């Protein structure tokens, strides 16, 4: 078993907690340099990091929300002088005004270390050829993964997103062994292999690091089968640097969360109270190493749980489950709560289902209508009409089983639904709200 930083990755829990406490004190001290946090903390009786005597004292600190960050746009929450800032990133703005995070030189080095550690945990080595297929701009996925891969010593193809044919050709020419992409893009390029006249045997692909958007276990399996690779889930958010927050090791059994860098709490999004051990809830992060923009108890809206038990890889950092969605992803259709991920999970179980789908919401008289547009695979598309009718009925039944609402299922030919280069847009909500 290879490690990037064995000492810290396998540190006994007791020692990890000591590191967390001393770093938490430093983070609070650092945050007190920001007027926003100084006021908030003072109001709650905290005027120095030393007042945090125990990790449980973190609960004396109020939460930070996405709106708090948005309110600080464009300056951001800055605890160092502007001269110390060497880069800034914003979130993708999927759900509104983007948030700004500034980084010092040390922040960037620490971030690259976390990404390198994540990649090595999956079994990556300096012999790998790494094709980075996500955007290289403000989106943290591109540069974040790039500098981590560089630290591991891999050969990097800094492709950026899009231009699928060239991605496939370069994959072949340069014998790419690891790709980084969103799961939706990976599904998309699978449909383009034939057109680019490239077969899997022309490629040397071994692994995919896939993240930036939710996907189900069934989608992982689908992608692994399409490309004959191992897929590792990669989780991050720009507010916590970007990638390198939690990542799967060789055992692919949940993502190790790097607890020396991030202190995690899981709360009930309604009450703000901690959930019982093992239950899922909203992830709340506190940065433990950041200089420029320390964040305390940041409610990120992502929903997941902590997995029980130790990992055979020897890493002591706890693992989190897949992100099932964002608290604000929830759709309410005819009064029923639905998460798009529930639909994805059941449809991707069917081998006849292709690589893209879309959820459409409309009004229908007094009611609301849920339509699920689903691409089918090339093989299923050339099948007979009766089996397509059967498939349609089965999919509708399965979706209803998962989300209670009966959908209309429409089947589409491969490659016909719209694709986005970055994060997939899965839900089109055309409902008129009165
Ligand atoms: P935005 O919040 O605007 O999309 P980011 O680019 O910072 O901005 O994206 C981070 C978000 O992407 C996370 O909060 C999470 O919702 C989602 N995300 C990232 N990685 C994963 C993953 N592996 N699984 C599910 N969702 C993910
Ligand atoms: Zn592990």
């Amino acid at each position: 078993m290879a490690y990037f930083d064995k000492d810290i990755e396998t540190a006994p829990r007791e020692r990890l907690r000591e590191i967390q406490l001393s770093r938490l004190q430093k983070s609070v001290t650092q945050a007190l340099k920001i007027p926003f946090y100084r006021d908030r903390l003072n109001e709650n009786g905290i005027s120095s990091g030393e007042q945090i005597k125990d990790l449980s004292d973190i609960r004396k600190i109020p939460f930070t929300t996405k709106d708090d960050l948005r309110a600080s746009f464009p300056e951001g929450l800055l605890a160092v002088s502007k001269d110390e800032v060497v880069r800034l990133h914003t979130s993708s703005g999927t759900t509104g005004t983007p948030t700004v995070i500034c980084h010092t030189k040390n922040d960037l080095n620490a971030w690259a270390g976390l990404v390198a550690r994540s990649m090595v945990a999956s079994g990556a080595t300096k012999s790998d050829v790494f094709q980075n297929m996500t955007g290289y701009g403000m989106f943290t996925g591109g540069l974040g993964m790039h500098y981590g891969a560089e630290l591991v010593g891999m050969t990097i193809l800094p492709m950026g997103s899009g231009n699928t044919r060239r991605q496939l050709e370069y994959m072949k020419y340069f014998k790419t062994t690891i790709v980084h992409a969103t799961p939706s893009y990976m599904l998309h390029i699978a449909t383009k292999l034939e057109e680019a006249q490239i077969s899997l045997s022309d490629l040397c692909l071994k692994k995919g690091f896939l993240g930036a958007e939710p996907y189900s276990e069934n989608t992982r399996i689908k992608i692994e089968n399409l490309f004959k690779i191992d897929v590792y889930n990669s989780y991050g958010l720009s507010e916590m640097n970007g990638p390198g927050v939690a990542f799967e090791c060789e055992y692919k059994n949940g993502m190790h969360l790097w607890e020396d860098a991030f202190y995690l709490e899981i709360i009930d999004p309604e009450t703000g109270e901690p959930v019982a051990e093992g239950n899922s809830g909203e992830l709340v992060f506190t940065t433990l190493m950041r200089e420029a923009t320390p964040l305390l108890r940041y409610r990120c809206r992502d929903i997941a749980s902590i997995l029980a038990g130790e990992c055979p890889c020897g890493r002591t950092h706890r693992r989190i489950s897949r992100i099932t969605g964002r608290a604000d992803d929830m759709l309410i259709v005819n009064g029923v709560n639905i998460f798009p991920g529930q639909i994805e999970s059941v449809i991707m179980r069917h081998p006849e289902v292709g690589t893209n789908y879309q959820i459409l919401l409309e009004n229908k008289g007094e009611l609301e209508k849920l339509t699920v547009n689903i691409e089918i695979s090339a093989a299923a598309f050339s099948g007979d009409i009766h089996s397509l009718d059967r498939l349609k009925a089965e999919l509708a039944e399965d979706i209803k089983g998962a989300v209670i609402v009966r959908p209309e299922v429409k089947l589409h030919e491969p490659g016909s639904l719209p694709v986005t280069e970055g994060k997939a847009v899965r839900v089109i909500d055309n409902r008129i709200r009165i």
Side-chain angles (χ1 to χ4, degrees), residues 249 256 311 313:
C249 70
H256 287 283
C311 185
C313 76

Side-chain angles (χ1 to χ4, degrees), residues 66 91-95 139-140 210-215 233-239 255 300 302 323 326 423:
K66 214 165 184 128
S91 67
S92 314
T94 309
T95 55
F139 175 63
T140 52
L210 305 189
E213 62 188 14
Y215 59 118
N233 197 0
S234 158
Y235 171 70
L237 56 162
S238 59
E239 293 86 352
M255 301 180 281
C300 77
D302 291 331
I323 309 295
R326 301 189 202 219
K423 295 176 191 248

Side-chain angles (χ1 to χ4, degrees), residues 169-201:
E169 285 166 359
Y170 276 32
M171 226 175 259
K172 175 177 162 182
Y173 297 148
F174 297 106
K175 302 189 167 48
T176 300
T177 56
I178 304 180
V179 287
H180 171 229
T182 56
S184 53
Y185 187 63
M186 207 57 193
L187 283 168
H188 172 65
I189 66 174
T191 64
K192 300 289 172 192
L193 280 163
E194 206 176 278
E195 202 177 301
Q197 293 178 326
I198 287 174
S199 69
L200 285 187
S201 58

Side-chain angles (χ1 to χ4, degrees), residues 99-164:
T99 55
V100 184
I101 301 293
C102 299
H103 298 277
T104 63
K105 193 91 198 134
N106 286 339
D107 288 336
L108 291 184
N109 288 340
W111 178 13
L114 293 171
V115 175
R117 187 199 284 186
S118 304
M119 291 173 164
V120 171
S122 81
T125 71
K126 62 194 251 204
S127 313
D128 279 301
V129 178
F130 179 69
Q131 186 161 335
N132 199 9
M133 305 198 287
T134 56
Y136 263 77
M138 297 304 275
F139 175 63
T140 52
L143 288 171
M145 293 296 266
H146 181 100
Y147 286 111
E150 201 167 274
L151 206 53
V152 177
M154 295 189 238
T155 305
I156 304 172
L157 305 184
M159 303 292 290
S161 62
N163 207 340
T164 302

